[in-house]
């Protein structure tokens, strides 16, 4: 596969007037993000939403996006931090070679540069159904490492929808 050509003019336009890398997201804000995603997940589970346990990644994300956007109006800490949540919002790689990257979920913060939403890449882990940790690394983490997603940020989130009881120690650690 041929490497796509860099687009320095696109990157210059995107980063005009922006100091990179962006300021590190406060640990308290990361905690709010993680806790709010967990709250959304548990509320959807409590509603008996079957797609959480059997749907594909797009179906799960399509449920989380509106729930998290609803929280932008109802959850005090979340609405102070997050302006909106988008599923599959396009982003550009660090050099502009890829201009249609689509992280699973993008958080646009209430403060900061809206051209650089906070990226969350999601993968299902379900070994019996061939959704293994290797995909989590190869099709998830690798996108951050290669500068396809979140290259202007100092942090991002890799989110696993674990369906097979896997844990970080036994499944993910050997790949890191």
């Amino acid at each position: 596969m041929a490497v796509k050509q860099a687009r320095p003019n696109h990157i210059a336009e995107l980063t005009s007037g922006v100091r990179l890398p962006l300021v590190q997201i406060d640990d308290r804000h990361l905690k709010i993000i993680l806790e709010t995603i967990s709250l959304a997940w548990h509320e959807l589970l409590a509603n008996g939403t079957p797609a959480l346990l059997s749907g594909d990644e797009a179906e799960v994300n399509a449920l989380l996006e509106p729930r998290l956007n609803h929280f932008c109006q109802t959850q005090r800490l979340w609405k102070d931090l997050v302006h909106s949540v988008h599923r599959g919002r396009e982003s550009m790689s660090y050099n502009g070679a890829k201009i249609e990257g689509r992280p699973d979920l993008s958080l646009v913060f209430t403060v900061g540069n809206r051209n650089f939403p906070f990226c969350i890449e999601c993968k299902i882990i379900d070994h019996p159904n061939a959704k293994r940790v290797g995909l989590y690394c190869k099709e998830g983490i690798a996108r951050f490492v290669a500068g396809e997603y979140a290259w202007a940020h100092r942090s991002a989130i890799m989110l696993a929808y674990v369906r097979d009881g896997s844990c970080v120690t036994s499944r993910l650690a050997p790949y890191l």
Side-chain angles (χ1 to χ4, degrees):
M1 184 166 117
V3 176
K4 293 183 180 179
Q5 190 166 347
R7 294 179 177 90
N9 292 338
H10 288 71
I11 296 302
E13 183 63 30
L14 182 66
T15 60
S16 177
V18 178
R19 186 171 178 190
L20 297 176
L22 298 173
V23 174
Q24 172 65 32
I25 295 170
D26 189 281
D27 286 345
R28 292 171 297 176
H29 294 158
L30 284 173
K31 184 177 179 186
I32 290 167
I33 292 167
L34 294 170
E35 288 177 352
T36 304
I37 291 169
S38 179
L39 174 64
W41 178 265
H42 286 93
E43 283 186 6
L44 289 166
L45 274 178
N47 289 344
T49 311
L52 292 180
L53 302 176
S54 60
D56 64 19
E57 187 181 302
E59 288 181 278
V60 176
N61 294 335
L63 288 165
L64 272 178
E65 178 195 28
R67 180 63 54 121
L68 291 171
N69 273 318
H70 174 70
F71 288 167
C72 290
Q73 293 148 10
T74 61
Q75 299 291 326
R76 186 179 59 83
L77 293 175
W78 184 254
K79 73 180 181 178
D80 289 345
L81 178 63
V82 177
H83 173 269
S84 57
V85 180
H86 304 273
R87 184 171 50 93
R89 178 179 166 165
E90 290 185 355
S91 67
M92 200 177 317
S93 64
Y94 77 97
N95 64 358
K98 287 187 153 189
I99 58 173
E100 293 182 324
R102 291 182 183 86
D104 291 308
L105 297 169
S106 299
L107 308 181
V108 176
F109 292 134
T110 55
V111 175
N113 190 315
R114 294 191 178 173
N115 284 329
F116 295 99
F118 186 77
C119 295
I120 303 172
E121 181 65 8
C122 311
K123 294 290 171 234
I124 293 171
I125 296 182
D126 188 0
H127 275 66
N129 291 304
K131 298 287 187 178
R132 296 185 168 83
V133 175
L135 290 175
Y136 181 87
C137 296
K138 194 172 162 183
E139 296 180 11
I141 293 173
R143 290 179 176 151
F144 292 110
V145 174
E148 292 178 33
Y149 298 162
W151 54 270
H153 284 278
R154 296 173 192 239
S155 56
I157 293 176
M158 231 0 261
L159 181 62
Y161 302 136
V162 179
R163 292 186 177 156
D164 65 2
S166 294
C167 68
V168 171
T169 309
S170 65
R171 294 286 189 188
L172 185 58
Y175 287 87
L176 302 177

